[in-house]
């Protein structure tokens, strides 16, 4: 039995911690160019902005870890938020009933995605692109493409604070903690990782790949529904553009945070949190230095491209033997 050598590798270090170093450099840059950026208020604003997307990304992580994708999460968030707002504002239904309805609906949309992708074996990109269009179309039809405002009695919750910290920040961190525990401490989470590493080996060891992958889509839909609640409360309304491009921002958060698009790799904490903070820091910093609004999309697109390119490089240089060495342990733990 040979002893493994643990030599320092600059390449591996950069692949593992590169974006964390970039985040630190970005913070230093904006702190120098805009002194007011480095403050408690700015930090809380950054986390406040990222809160709904952190929740949505945490659910999407489970789908991506199974080597699949869901680009309908923004539309799931929009449709569930629209339904909830209509139930409260126009139908006068109790708020708890509307919230439960939103979450049930978001789960059902996840079920629909899982049915198309896992049961009918439709390409995940094509299937969720179709549901993305369908869900947003239904939402626009129900709202007549109009803004649906929330009642004043609950609108304040989106900016409610406990001391200097927004409530939605605490809530999103709580959700991330739960999702981290599910990912790292439960049989379901370990099986998701096993499937992402090698589906054939996972199936040989008794893991029900279709059942786990299907449930990953349901979890993704549920998290999109929870994120929709935070999104609606922050704005105080649901607009026709609510949730637009959330799917690509969430994917960028995940890749920046170390969740590989090739499956089987990544963490919820600190990974998803680091990815979310990185994007929020960049956009908030651009606002502080007075950058043109047209720069935002360019920078966001650049960050997404670089993060995905880095993920591709990391996968190409990863030794193939590593999967064969680690897989038995990973999968056996999943049993």
């Amino acid at each position: 039995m040979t002893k493994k050598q643990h030599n320092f590798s600059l390449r591996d270090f950069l692949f593992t911690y590169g974006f964390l170093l970039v985040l630190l450099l970005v913070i230093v840059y904006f702190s120098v160019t805009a002194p007011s950026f480095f403050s408690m208020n700015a930090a809380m604003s950054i986390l406040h902005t990222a809160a709904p997307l952190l929740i949505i990304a945490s659910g999407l992580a489970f789908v991506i870890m199974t080597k699949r994708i869901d680009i309908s999460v923004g539309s799931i968030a929009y449709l569930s938020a629209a339904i909830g707002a209509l139930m409260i504002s126009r139908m006068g239904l109790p708020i708890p009933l509307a919230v439960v309805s939103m979450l049930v609906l978001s789960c059902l949309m996840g079920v629909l995605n899982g049915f198309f992708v896992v049961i009918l074996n439709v390409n995940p990109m094509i299937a969720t692109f179709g549901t993305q269009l369908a869900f947003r179309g239904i939402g626009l039809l129900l709202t007549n493409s109009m803004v649906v405002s929330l009642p004043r009695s609950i609108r304040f919750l989106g900016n409610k604070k406990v001391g200097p910290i927004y409530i939605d920040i605490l809530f999103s961190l709580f959700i991330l903690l739960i999702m981290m525990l599910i990912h790292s401490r439960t049989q379901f989470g370990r099986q998701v990782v096993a499937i992402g590493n090698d589906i054939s080996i996972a199936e040989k060891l008794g893991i029900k790949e279709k059942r786990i992958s299907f449930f990953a889509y349901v979890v993704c839909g549920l998290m999109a529904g929870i994120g929709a609640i935070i999104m609606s409360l922050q704005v105080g309304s649901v607009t026709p553009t609510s949730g637009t491009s959330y799917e690509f921002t969430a994917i960028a958060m995940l890749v920046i945070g170390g969740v590989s698009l090739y499956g089987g790799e990544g963490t919820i904490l600190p990974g998803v949190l680091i990815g979310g903070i990185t994007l929020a820091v960049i956009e908030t910093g651009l606002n502080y230095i007075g950058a043109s609004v047209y720069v935002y999309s360019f920078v966001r697109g650049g960050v997404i491209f670089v993060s995905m390119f880095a993920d591709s490089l990391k996968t190409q240089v990863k030794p193939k033997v590593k999967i064969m060495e680690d897989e038995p342990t990973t999968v056996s733990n999943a049993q």
Side-chain angles (χ1 to χ4, degrees):
M1 186 172 178
T2 59
K3 196 173 184 179
K4 290 184 179 180
Q5 294 182 346
H6 297 282
N7 296 327
F8 175 79
S9 170
L10 178 61
R11 183 189 65 191
D12 292 340
F13 178 82
L14 291 176
F15 278 140
T16 305
Y17 301 105
F19 272 104
L20 184 57
L21 296 175
V22 170
L23 173 60
L24 294 175
L25 291 174
V26 169
I27 291 174
V28 170
Y29 171 76
F30 285 130
S31 298
V32 171
T33 55
S36 58
F37 176 81
F38 193 73
S39 64
M40 177 62 75
N41 288 337
M44 291 301 103
S45 176
I46 289 168
L47 290 172
H48 179 55
T49 301
L53 273 164
L54 286 173
I55 296 172
I56 293 173
S58 70
L60 182 58
F62 281 81
V63 171
I64 289 181
M65 286 180 189
T66 64
K67 290 187 178 179
R68 291 179 169 87
I69 200 165
D70 185 350
I71 60 171
S72 69
V73 289
S75 294
I76 292 176
Y78 168 65
L79 179 54
S80 58
I83 293 291
L86 289 172
M87 292 177 72
I88 295 171
S89 300
R90 297 186 183 177
M91 300 173 64
L93 296 178
I95 294 173
L97 177 60
V99 170
V100 171
S101 299
M102 289 175 64
L103 299 182
V104 171
L105 177 63
S106 62
C107 284
L108 290 176
M109 286 187 275
V111 166
L112 188 62
N113 282 335
F115 175 75
F116 285 137
V117 175
V118 180
I119 306 302
L120 298 184
N121 290 317
V122 181
N123 180 282
M125 182 71 76
I126 295 174
T128 57
F129 177 67
T131 56
Q132 176 199 58
L133 297 177
F135 296 155
R136 184 161 293 276
I138 294 171
L140 293 173
L141 178 64
L142 292 175
T143 61
N144 293 318
S145 299
M146 301 291 289
V147 175
V148 182
S149 299
L150 297 177
R152 292 181 180 273
S153 58
I154 61 172
R155 205 181 301 171
F156 75 97
L157 292 173
N159 294 299
K160 184 72 174 175
K161 292 183 178 182
V162 177
I165 306 176
Y166 290 96
I167 289 179
D168 56 16
I169 295 175
L170 298 174
F171 182 72
S172 64
L173 293 177
F174 175 69
I175 294 295
L176 287 182
L177 178 61
I178 292 176
M179 297 296 281
M180 180 201 73
L181 293 175
I182 292 174
H183 174 245
S184 61
R185 302 293 180 87
T186 69
Q187 183 179 359
F188 168 69
R190 290 190 290 268
Q191 289 177 343
V192 164
V193 174
I195 290 169
N197 281 325
D198 195 307
I199 292 178
S200 60
I201 292 179
E203 288 181 333
K204 287 178 182 178
L205 292 173
I207 294 176
K208 306 296 183 181
E209 184 271 329
K210 287 187 178 294
R211 183 175 65 186
I212 298 301
S213 298
F214 184 92
F215 191 60
Y217 274 101
V218 178
V219 171
C220 182
L222 176 61
M223 290 301 107
I226 295 175
I229 296 173
I230 304 299
M231 174 188 74
S232 304
L233 290 174
Q234 284 185 349
V235 181
S237 63
V238 179
T239 71
T241 58
S242 294
T244 301
S245 298
Y246 269 27
E247 48 279 336
F248 300 109
T249 305
I251 290 171
M253 285 182 173
L254 295 176
V255 178
I256 291 171
V259 178
S260 175
L261 292 176
Y262 296 91
E265 183 179 343
T267 61
I268 304 299
L269 283 176
V272 175
L273 182 61
I274 290 175
I277 291 175
T278 300
L279 282 184
V281 163
I282 292 173
E283 294 198 0
T284 304
L286 291 173
N287 182 48
Y288 268 78
I289 65 175
S292 168
V293 293
Y294 300 106
V295 173
Y296 287 54
S297 296
F298 173 77
V299 172
R300 189 189 297 115
V303 170
I304 292 173
F305 172 78
V306 171
S307 60
M308 291 184 176
F309 180 68
D311 180 49
S312 177
L313 284 179
K314 182 170 64 174
T315 303
Q316 290 174 19
V317 301
K318 185 191 296 182
K320 293 184 181 299
V321 69
K322 182 179 186 297
I323 297 178
M324 299 304 298
E325 292 174 351
D326 292 345
E327 192 65 31
T329 302
T330 305
V331 178
S332 62
N333 288 337
Q335 301 302 310

